[in-house]
Amino acid sequence: MDAPAPRVFETLAKLDEYPQWWPQVRSTRPIDEQTCEVEVRSTLPYSLRMTAHHSQKDPDAGVLEARLTGDLVGHSRWRLTPAPNGGTVLEFGEEVEVRRALLRALSFARPALRANHALMMRSGERGLRRHLASAG
């Protein structure tokens, strides 16, 4: 990312603002300072609803992790590292299990589900880049 790590971290920590820059995050509803209900939908005709709760929020270490419950159960993690050019190297990882019965039944469609997820992640990256550039 072409923005300093503290600014990227601050943006990613605001779960309720994801719809402003990530088109597939359709809606959010804050529950408290650490928890937010999230609805996501990409190309395929289904939405996933989950609750994201910050389980680790350490700007000094560059780690932002959320525990997920709902249609997906597990966790997601952003890892931020300052880059020599003043920007930020950003890594995203997740370990989740699908709990939604329909998606579990569609295991034969796994390649389409993976492609849908990859599209959503690329779109999120582009949106975050644009958002950080415009907030400059």
Side-chain angles (χ1 to χ4, degrees):
M1 296 287 131
D2 293 328
R7 200 163 108 230
V8 177
F9 189 94
E10 181 182 331
T11 299
L12 293 173
K14 296 176 182 173
L15 291 169
D16 61 322
E17 294 182 9
Y18 277 37
Q20 294 176 16
W21 54 267
W22 198 336
Q24 291 80 13
V25 178
R26 300 298 174 100
S27 66
T28 57
R29 187 179 72 80
I31 295 173
D32 59 37
E33 286 188 21
Q34 302 300 321
T35 311
C36 194
E37 288 181 351
V38 180
E39 179 184 0
V40 298
R41 181 179 176 152
S42 191
T43 306
L44 297 177
Y46 65 86
S47 294
L48 294 175
R49 290 172 182 80
M50 65 206 90
T51 300
H53 176 82
H54 285 300
S55 54
Q56 185 176 2
K57 194 174 180 181
D58 187 342
D60 294 330
V63 175
L64 185 61
E65 186 171 288
R67 186 180 71 249
L68 305 173
T69 58
D71 290 339
L72 295 179
V73 174
H75 72 274
S76 63
R77 173 183 273 205
W78 298 101
R79 181 173 297 281
L80 296 80
T81 307
N85 67 355
T88 304
V89 175
L90 180 59
E91 298 174 59
F92 176 79
E94 62 187 346
E95 291 184 29
V96 296
E97 181 179 327
V98 176
R99 290 292 188 181
R100 190 162 179 191
L102 173 63
L103 294 179
R104 292 175 70 86
L106 295 176
S107 62
F108 65 88
R110 189 163 299 211
L113 298 174
R114 287 183 190 266
N116 191 59
H117 183 265
L119 177 69
M120 179 179 165
M121 296 308 295
R122 282 192 305 273
S123 180
E125 178 186 355
R126 285 190 306 270
L128 180 58
R129 286 182 187 280
R130 280 191 304 268
H131 180 76
L132 291 168
S134 69

